[in-house]
Amino acid sequence: MGYFRKHRDRLSRHLSAEDADKDADSDQEEGDVHQLRPTEARKKRASEPAISYRSPQLLDAPFPGSRNPSTAGSDFSKIGPQHGRSSSTSSLSTSDPLGLTLVYSFPNPTLDLIFVHGLGGTSRGTWSWERDPSNFWPPWLVDDAEFSRARIFTFGYNANFTGQSTSLNILDFARDLLVRMQTYSADDHHGDAPIGQVYLLEALEIWKGKLTLRQLPIIFVAHSMGGLVVKKAYIVGKNNQQYEHIVAHISAMVFLATPHRGSTFAAMLNNILKASPGGSAKNYVAELERQSGSLQDINELFRNICGDLKLVSFHETVKTNVGAGIKKMIVEKDSALLEYPGEITSSLIADHHGMAKFKDPHDTNYTNVKNVLKWLKRRTTTEDTREGVFTFSQPRTLGSHESSELPLEQRLMTILGISEKFDEDLENLTERTMQGSCQWLLQRQAFQDWISDSPKTSGLLWLTGNPGAGKSILASYVIALLKERSFSGRCHFHFFLAAHQTKRTVSYLLRSIALQAALLDEVFCARLIELHDSTGVLFGQQKATMIWEKVFEGILFRTPSQDPFFWVFDGLDEAETPAELVKLLSRIRAAVRINILLLSRANKDLVSGIRQFLPTAVHEPISAEDNKDDIREYVMSSIQRILPGDPTQEEIVQDILSKASGSFLWVRLAMERIRDNWYTKDDIRTALTEIPEGMGPLYERMLDLVADQPPKPHRLAVRILTWVACTFRPLEIAELEIALHPDFPDLYNLERTIEEICGHFIVVIKSKVTLIHHTAAQFLLHNSSSLPVTIIPHEAHQHMATVCIDFLSDSSRWRRAFSNITTMQQSSELSSGLAAFDRHPFLSYALTYWAHHFSLASAESDDLLETMLAFLEETCLLWIHGVALSKNLRILTQSAQRFKTYLRKRANSLAQKSSPSLTLPRDSELREWANDIIHVVGRFGRNIVENPESIHKHVVPFCPKESIISRSFGTKSRSGFTVSGITSKKWDDCLARMTMGEDQTVSKVLCKDTFFVTLVGITGTLIVWSSETCEEIRRFAHGEYVTNMTSSRTSNLFATAGFKTTRVWDVTTGEELYRLPKGRHHHTRTLAFGPKDDEILVGYDDCLIQCFDLATAQEKWQFLAKEPGFQDHNCARYMAISPDLTQVALVFRGRPVVVWSIQRSPSVFVPPKRCVLTEDSMRSAQEGDAWNAPEVALWQPGTDHLLIMYEDTKVVEWNVRDDEQSPHDHMGARGMILSQDGSLLLTSDADGTLSIWTVPHYRLTYRLKYEELVTDMAFSPDGTRFYDIRGTFCNVWEPDALVRSQDLDQDNSSSHHDTINSEPVISSDDTSRIPITSLICNASNTFYCCGKEDGTVVMYALPNGQKVRQVARHASSSSVIKLAWSTSEKYLASADDSGRIMVKRLEPPSSGKDEWGVFKLLDWRIDEAIFHLMFHPHDSLLLVAGRITASVMNLKTKTELCHADHPEQRDGIWINDPTSQALLIKVDAVQARQCLWRTLLPSDDPIVSSAFVDSPDSVYQPQLYELPAPAH
């Protein structure tokens, strides 16, 4: 019997994933409190957006209705009383209650989550690691603000397999669940709403004594048999009117190892139960048997009614120990998956027992389940966080202005900037792959190791071969092989194409790989979309490094997977920057193994780069012998089609093979030649004789065929070859036909024509026209003029630019077309709007790439410049309109950059030639157009994308009057308004200037993705701004003086360091995620996140570096950057940790900069390296180590170089590894910062002048003169903007000079590190413009007054903005922060930030005088900051309110009428009571209260609660009841 008892418990434990043993190791006394991990210590992915929340309640309910709310606040780390378990197996533990139990609640919830256990499980034990109640994980979800506004329930039912016999079955449990849901109520005001509903606490409804119910979505999480219970409940509810309203709220179900088709262990368990003492078979266990009638019934009915549900099924992947050392899958994969259309399936790395138990919030399985729940939540709720209103909705659309939802693939393509099918090139190659070819690769040991994913071998294989050796075909074969071997979901690929400039970029490769991964991995897809939603980043506009860090290092490499990734990259030598890709691949540190196959030619640069950065790569050359059999098979099959049954076939095959030299391309062209000359055997022999060996001679022979045609076909063939060889991307047949139309208007069957006249240089694949190989383009464009057909690139591009410009110049046609496209975009999905461009072939190409061809045209052509300028003067706005319809304004900025490229070419050409015929009469106009386009995109880009027609109607009036756009279109503009008062006649480089608020001095600025963050150091307030609109998004406070801040490169984490704590935030939400107490009294000098963002490095001024685990707030290791026994107590004034976290640079006053290798557990002392300047190398010990004191040190990204700024403004570039110094004395730097890619250096001098230098040559490219001290600076992530801090202001600068060749899709290597401008741009900002700090308009809207930072108050006239006169002058050191203008317009009050108030009496002009009269009335000061000024409706009284006091001044007697204190110190506003002139109203975040003007005492009870105040539709209703203020 012991055998039966032991195995009964073991089998039941594994079938239900619960331990049936109720004999707990230690009983818990009633009232014990179990601590959950605090909020600050829990694992949190900052890339998952969160919403700040208030006063959640974490509850414990041993029985329904019994709850103990936790302490209010943001840290809810305790569960209420836990009751000890009974040792009896016949009674249920009170700590695992039956029925529906509320675990967590929140006012106005957005979601109901219900957890349902399985066979033998319990409502808490099922979800607790090792049955420890402190590991009960559903409450962990609330640390993620996505679930902070959810109600969380557990459902318990008596599914024990021990005890007395019972007739209960799954149907009984399902009915019990429905009854509990329908009859649920709670004692507190948060939880008493029915399941799936919430009370909407609207003030007007409360006033009427009513409560409005809103629907909530319900998501079930069910383990094992619990999933069957939930499905059965759904079936019953759908067919029973009594429960229909409840199941209507169910939106999703998550199944954890649910045996939808049963389990083979169910029958065995029932047999053991029947044979064991006191045991008996259970109906619900029998129902779990394979192919049981009950399961078949559930599955059949559920399949027909679950169409509206979102279903997610997780299956187990680890076998469970079932006894005697035997391990089995309890629920097989085929049973755990429903296999319904639309079902999302995934796996957890766990046995059946662990599918519902997670060790801690770090647990990968927990993260996967949580992310799925977040994904489901977003697709079932729409949340208005301001109003607290929640409704059902369809999945979110991309962007807030689209009228309908995009399909998932289209949405991902938009986020990633992919415009073509990622597998298009693969499909084309697969069609050309001959059956049975490439088999030789399988015999290579290196390839066998690679594809078998052997952990002992390198995961990187590099196959190299000569041009035309069939590398691309080989790549397509490998991809097909991987898909056949069930790696289709883990195989990602890319083909670099020399003919497609965009696909040549590393950025496009990364975006394509990300798209493929997102389409096949639900978790990665959800997190990628979340990243976009939280930051607004569109990756099509980002550089490769940023995409790598955010998408790959930040998400993909952290997403665990049981299977390896296989990446296949073909044509690496054709990539625009192959070295960049090699360096990125060397940085892979992933949670999953990644096997990479590279195919390319073995050129010198690639061999060197791969040896340096990928030393473990296995290099396998492709020889002629390798593909000999494949070539022979191809030739034989081709000859058999051409000469079926001919006895000379073998002879011809051998002749061709003897010349092929392993080149498929040569063989293919040779076969084309034979196919054209198969009429007689002599023709074939002649063709074979004339086919030369080698690609060069063969191309020459093909070109002879083109040249030998009659004149018209010859000209057409040359023109076609010109377009195809020089186009930016492959053209469609319809596009090419339009491009040829000006010269050849009556073409018939262009595809057939190409085949006949272009000498086999061109192929047409699925309507796309391309050269047969990238070597053909090199041959046609870079060979000598001795060839019969010559294509001169700059002449070709000039012709193509002219054709594009002429095509776009038909204004009337394109106005109509753009109007139709706009209509389509407004009435249908975005993809349909973009598809509208397909109705106008060549339009998209011309809009996008005409400037590309213009930039590559001859710089000596004045005619082309005249044509282009005429086009801009007439059609520029229409061109911008068309580009805006494509939603990609980067086209405009790239075009402007190309204008500057062309101007530089012209300037260089002029300098090299002495010909007087080359003049620059209109070059300055082109430069103006380039600058205007950049400024228009920077200032109005968002408006233009949202409303493309606004470029005609709204933008031009706001452009400076002397800008070329205003001069060209100011009189032609269709705007119905004019703008006056714009003081700048030309564009300035200052995009925006933000003030932090009254008396708020900014200390630091930092850029992060689509945000920039300013720090008010004294108060520790961080202000997050949108980099797109320069609008403030949110503020959050550290609560003490902050000395340092930093951000993660890969996620949304943001860290701040104060004197007492170091805190980590989610910058997208402002939520504090972690708090690390500071146990040291030393100042923090540097912060850096660990490679996985789960730890943070903190460096102190005593040279100690500590590494903390963010989840536990515990120190992991420390490193002291001091030599043993060194007694110097000099504190580090600056520290910088290298980007790879392996080195730290320390800056001391009077000592050289030292660099230490960071050793986590130093066993051998490694001395530091010192940067000793040449002038200091001979100094004695008495004189000190360094005469010239270092001040700042910056690491250059991707290098071992350190930039050091010294006290005498010298900047030294120090190669730490080789100990080489490069001094630069010409910068005059007092502060400096590097761009994120390290290519630009921004410095400030003692006068506030900013200079930008190119790295590594340190040539000046831009200088801005501005007379105010700079305290901090930052570059935008893309390096096109920079920010500086001056006093209380943060300035955003966007000079058009920040144009670099690497921003273009096709750059010139000669200027790789330089800006387009050959000479530095010197700019200055008008410092005479005093910032406006307050503004008010008079009652009749005829005048307005501005309070300014210099203490002046100035009046201006409306509508022209003309200055009238100065009204008041405060101290020049004070800013005017408040203004009030009386209703009669006779009095104007002003207050400054020192507490001074001035009141002036105004007299408007009259018949006797032409000017306003201004007379002093009052002038006094109060002892606190002034928050509000307000006149009485009859002008006789003036209210002056601060935070804690308020007073009323009698303007007639010039005395204080009354005074009142407000000890609650709540910010609020005052307004005149519209019902009584004797009253005024104070409105704050809690209440609105009537007060008497003459006493400031309350007139009666509060008139309205906070809920009423928040309602936008509320109307004044006196004498309402005050409600308790919501906790914060």
Side-chain angles (χ1 to χ4, degrees), residues 1196 1201-1203 1211-1215 1220-1224 1256 1258:
Q1196 284 188 284
H1201 292 202
L1202 194 68
L1203 277 183
V1211 175
V1212 173
E1213 182 178 357
W1214 179 30
N1215 184 333
E1220 297 177 349
Q1221 299 178 16
S1222 301
H1224 304 278
Y1258 300 99

Side-chain angles (χ1 to χ4, degrees), residues 865-881:
L865 181 60
E866 292 288 341
T867 299
M868 198 269 272
L869 290 174
F871 167 74
L872 291 175
E873 290 168 358
E874 295 294 329
T875 323
C876 180
L877 298 187
L878 193 63
W879 169 53
I880 295 174
H881 185 177

Side-chain angles (χ1 to χ4, degrees), residues 945-1097:
V945 169
E946 292 177 353
N947 180 14
E949 290 186 356
S950 66
I951 188 63
H952 304 284
K953 298 179 179 179
H954 306 140
V955 171
V956 175
F958 287 98
C959 295
K961 299 307 178 185
E962 294 185 7
S963 66
I964 197 165
I965 282 186
S966 181
R967 301 199 312 265
S968 301
F969 297 100
T971 58
K972 306 175 187 177
S973 173
R974 289 183 275 162
S975 302
F977 64 91
T978 59
V979 178
S980 57
I982 299 178
T983 57
S984 299
K985 296 182 179 180
K986 296 182 178 180
W987 297 106
D988 59 29
D989 294 335
C990 185
L991 183 64
R993 180 175 288 117
M994 286 78 58
T995 179
M996 304 303 110
E998 303 158 13
D999 295 325
Q1000 301 291 303
T1001 300
V1002 195
S1003 60
K1004 293 184 180 296
V1005 60
L1006 188 148
C1007 293
K1008 173 76 176 161
D1009 304 332
T1010 56
F1011 313 109
F1012 63 97
V1013 182
T1014 55
L1015 169 66
V1016 181
I1018 296 177
T1019 61
T1021 300
L1022 293 106
I1023 308 174
V1024 182
W1025 309 79
S1026 166
S1027 59
E1028 183 179 8
T1029 64
C1030 296
E1031 295 174 315
E1032 180 179 331
I1033 299 175
R1034 66 184 59 86
R1035 294 187 180 208
F1036 48 98
H1038 186 106
E1040 58 176 320
Y1041 184 82
V1042 172
T1043 58
N1044 283 87
M1045 63 181 184
T1046 191
S1047 64
S1048 166
R1049 294 181 297 106
T1050 59
S1051 70
N1052 295 333
L1053 292 183
F1054 195 90
T1056 54
F1059 286 136
K1060 298 179 181 179
T1061 60
T1062 298
R1063 305 188 186 189
V1064 178
W1065 316 79
D1066 184 340
V1067 72
T1068 63
T1069 64
E1071 181 184 4
E1072 181 181 341
L1073 306 177
Y1074 310 103
R1075 182 181 300 185
L1076 308 175
K1078 185 178 173 185
R1080 303 173 54 80
H1081 298 293
H1082 292 273
H1083 294 290
T1084 302
R1085 289 290 185 242
T1086 188
L1087 296 168
F1089 283 98
K1092 296 182 180 179
D1093 290 338
D1094 57 353
E1095 59 188 26
I1096 189 168
L1097 279 66

Side-chain angles (χ1 to χ4, degrees), residues 1436-1461:
S1436 57
L1437 304 175
L1438 173 67
L1439 172 73
V1440 180
R1443 181 184 291 272
I1444 60 175
T1445 65
S1447 59
V1448 175
M1449 300 297 297
N1450 188 321
L1451 300 184
K1452 294 182 179 179
T1453 63
K1454 301 181 182 180
T1455 58
E1456 184 178 80
L1457 178 65
C1458 59
H1459 182 89
D1461 294 327

